[in-house]
Amino acid sequence: MHAIQENWELIKETIKREYELSNVVYATWIKNLKFHSVEDHVVTISIASDQSHILEYIIRKYKDFFQVTICEMMNDFYEINFILENVANENSEEPAENTSSEKIDLYRQANLATKYTFDNFVVGSNNNFAQSACLAVAESPGEVFNPLFIYGGSGLGKTHLMHSIGHYILDHNPNMKVLYVNSETFTNEVIESIRSGNSSSMNKLRDKYRTVDVLLIDDIQFIIGKESTQEEFFHTFNTLYNNGKAIIISSDKHPKQMETLDERFSSRFQMGLPADIQPPNYETRVAILLKIAEPYNKTGSISNEIIEYIATNIKSNIRELEGAFNKLIAFAKINNKPITMELAEEALKDMIYPDKPKLITPTIIIQVVAEHYGVNAQDITSKKRNAEFVLPRQVVMYLCRELTDISLTNIGKILDRKDHTTVLHGVNKIEEQLATNSELAQHIEIIKKKIIPN
């Protein structure tokens, strides 16, 4: 037995003591990690297969803790590698083939989430065209369907497919430079480069985005109306396209349906292939839930009746399906009860309304708007006139007027405004801005989707 294996529990306890980890942190992240092997001064640590979703986090947060502790205790230098248990059991001679820390580093540099791959993407009639197009692009990046424009509603799998493309390319050609980014991050980096006021900052930004082999940019609709960001992306797009690099874009709408989109963008987005994703049908929803339930169904703990119950009542998107399933599992664990139909109905009663429309109240609107703008709900309903509260308050007035039957007077009372003309002014103010302010229009659409997800 190797000394590291022999002292494994002591190594973990030393990490807990030296890095002052609390009992809950130690129990959650460190305690269940197992020694797998040591070869050529590389220590491989295994993680339970049903914890694949936290593999990347453990590597980023605790890899250095293990390396420093083991090197000090063994008085020798060791590299640290993490692997999922099922991979370790399948192929002990190549323990890091699919989930090595080196590959995790590659994924991290590309901003890819490890959990999104083609292997765990459930294909149905609603998304088979988009999945096939994504796989073709992954196999021949820059050569076919360039740019690939994936569009569809929120939570339908666009982001999953984009990450899958990145993973496939890096798994088959790790020397390619792949970069995934959402439009918000891209916008913030452009703003920061402009704010710095020096050319080197802007050159660094352009070097980052214009020298990649594959650029995946998510939710492109959010850069519309932001002139500097649009201009930067326009030139980035042209540079990559002219150099034969792969461009994959996602949006909530087809380019032709994006009313405020410049023609120069619309034409470029349609040069390759627009591929849509529709909401999953019943059969696909069942398949998705069965895939999610695989780790639990080894013991037969979740019946088909429960799967069908969720699939029948949660119809809008995959994100809500996952949320319902996770809530059911958490509810069963917290209450220490087996998963029965009765328990499922109790756990999901707040999420499932088979024949009952969601009641929209001012309280819900205030909470969602406050969360969206990062302010307290109490500040929106207070008399404070601070600039950061004025816009959210007016948005609440506008949405209460549009989404409920409540009178202006009662909206005013809820917001602690005695005169209903104040509410009318707020509503009119938002309506006027919506005619010219595309960014505000996007924010309000996002808030609406949070209030009425279906």
Side-chain angles (χ1 to χ4, degrees):
M1 181 182 293
H2 195 280
I4 295 176
Q5 182 177 6
E6 189 173 355
N7 292 281
W8 185 242
E9 295 303 319
L10 178 60
I11 288 169
K12 291 191 291 184
E13 290 167 8
T14 302
I15 289 172
K16 179 178 185 297
R17 183 181 67 254
E18 292 296 324
Y19 293 96
E20 299 179 346
L21 304 182
S22 66
N23 290 334
V24 66
V25 168
Y26 177 76
T28 302
W29 306 117
I30 305 296
K31 185 178 180 180
N32 295 323
L33 297 179
K34 297 178 182 178
F35 171 89
H36 175 259
S37 62
V38 57
E39 186 175 354
D40 295 330
H41 283 77
V42 176
V43 179
T44 298
I45 301 168
S46 69
I47 300 175
S49 301
D50 62 357
Q51 292 185 303
S52 59
H53 58 292
I54 63 170
L55 174 62
E56 183 176 358
Y57 177 81
I58 289 177
I59 291 172
R60 184 173 70 251
K61 185 80 174 177
Y62 298 107
K63 178 181 177 180
D64 290 345
F65 291 9
F66 276 95
Q67 184 165 31
V68 171
T69 303
I70 290 173
C71 291
E72 287 182 351
M73 290 181 67
M74 298 296 112
N75 195 27
D76 200 355
F77 179 80
Y78 288 91
E79 292 283 353
I80 304 299
N81 181 50
F82 289 88
I83 188 172
L84 293 176
E85 251 179 17
N86 59 344
V87 177
N89 293 335
E90 287 172 9
N91 192 348
S92 59
E93 292 182 4
E94 299 181 17
E97 177 64 25
N98 294 317
T99 53
S100 69
S101 56
E102 289 81 4
K103 278 197 174 180
I104 294 296
D105 287 338
L106 269 181
Y107 300 152
R108 190 184 306 121
Q109 290 167 18
N111 294 331
L112 298 175
T114 54
K115 65 179 181 178
Y116 293 137
T117 67
F118 283 120
D119 289 337
N120 58 27
F121 184 82
V122 177
V123 181
S125 58
N126 63 306
N127 59 26
N128 61 345
F129 177 75
Q131 190 267 352
S132 299
C134 288
L135 184 56
V137 169
E139 290 176 330
S140 305
E143 298 176 18
V144 296
F145 307 145
N146 200 30
L148 176 63
F149 190 96
I150 311 166
Y151 67 97
S154 176
L156 296 181
K158 300 186 300 294
T159 298
H160 190 143
L161 283 174
M162 295 185 82
H163 284 266
S164 298
I165 292 171
H167 279 292
Y168 188 97
I169 291 171
L170 288 177
D171 287 345
H172 291 79
N173 192 345
N175 293 321
M176 291 197 84
K177 191 174 180 182
V178 176
L179 182 62
Y180 165 89
V181 65
N182 60 47
S183 60
E184 182 181 3
T185 300
F186 183 78
T187 300
N188 290 339
E189 290 185 15
V190 171
I191 292 171
E192 191 58 37
S193 297
I194 294 171
R195 184 182 297 164
S196 68
N198 61 71
S199 58
S200 64
S201 179
M202 186 57 74
N203 288 335
K204 184 177 179 181
L205 174 77
R206 290 168 179 167
D207 182 66
K208 174 180 178 179
Y209 287 102
R210 299 185 190 182
T211 60
V212 299
D213 298 303
V214 181
L215 177 63
L216 305 114
I217 184 159
D218 215 346
D219 289 324
I220 196 68
Q221 69 271 15
F222 293 127
I223 74 167
I224 298 170
K226 300 170 183 174
E227 292 183 8
S228 297
T229 306
Q230 280 191 172
E231 196 65 25
E232 191 60 35
F233 179 72
F234 177 75
H235 294 296
T236 296
F237 181 101
N238 285 343
T239 299
L240 293 174
Y241 184 82
N242 291 334
N243 289 331
K245 306 303 182 182
I247 307 166
I248 300 93
I249 301 167
S250 84
S251 174
D252 61 344
K253 296 177 182 177
H254 188 284
K256 288 184 178 178
Q257 296 175 316
M258 301 166 77
E259 296 174 359
T260 57
L261 183 65
D262 289 353
E263 175 58 31
R264 60 177 180 165
F265 284 106
S266 182
S267 60
R268 280 166 174 76
F269 290 166
Q270 297 178 73
M271 287 192 304
L273 178 70
D276 72 320
I277 302 180
Q278 298 294 326
N281 59 24
Y282 172 76
E283 290 77 13
T284 305
R285 295 197 299 274
V286 169
I288 290 168
L289 288 167
L290 289 172
K291 186 74 175 178
I292 298 170
E294 279 180 359
Y296 305 92
N297 273 343
K298 289 177 181 177
T299 59
S301 58
I302 303 175
S303 68
N304 287 340
E305 182 187 16
I306 293 172
I307 295 291
E308 291 165 3
Y309 171 71
I310 299 173
T312 300
N313 291 288
I314 305 289
K315 303 177 181 179
S316 56
N317 60 54
I318 299 165
R319 196 172 294 142
E320 284 199 15
L321 281 175
E322 291 177 334
F325 184 87
N326 291 335
K327 184 174 183 181
L328 172 60
I329 297 300
F331 191 85
K333 286 184 177 179
I334 290 169
N335 292 281
N336 196 25
K337 292 181 178 179
I339 300 174
T340 62
M341 178 56 74
E342 183 180 5
L343 183 109
E345 291 174 348
E346 174 66 20
L348 304 178
K349 64 182 180 182
D350 294 331
M351 299 182 70
I352 291 177
Y353 304 93
D355 302 303
K356 180 181 174 183
K358 182 177 180 180
L359 179 63
I360 300 169
T361 65
T363 301
I364 291 173
I365 293 172
I366 291 168
Q367 288 173 344
V368 174
V369 171
E371 180 185 344
H372 182 82
Y373 283 104
V375 298
N376 292 323
Q378 295 90 332
D379 291 325
I380 291 179
T381 57
S382 73
K383 292 185 180 296
K384 295 179 182 178
R385 297 178 180 272
N386 306 49
E388 70 260 38
F389 307 137
V390 173
L391 177 60
R393 189 178 292 134
Q394 290 176 341
V395 169
V396 167
M397 294 173 181
Y398 171 79
L399 291 174
C400 283
R401 182 67 167 166
E402 182 174 333
L403 301 179
T404 73
D405 296 326
I406 298 171
S407 67
L408 292 175
T409 301
N410 286 331
I411 294 172
K413 288 179 181 178
I414 292 165
L415 295 173
D416 201 15
R417 265 53 187 176
K418 294 180 180 179
D419 192 346
H420 77 277
T421 58
T422 304
V423 178
L424 184 59
H425 171 75
V427 172
N428 290 338
K429 187 77 173 175
I430 294 297
E431 288 178 343
E432 289 171 8
Q433 292 185 52
L434 285 174
T436 57
N437 190 334
S438 61
E439 184 173 356
L440 176 62
Q442 290 169 0
H443 280 288
I444 287 181
E445 283 303 310
I446 292 170
I447 293 168
K448 282 184 179 178
K449 286 180 181 178
K450 291 178 180 177
I451 296 171
I452 316 173
N454 294 336

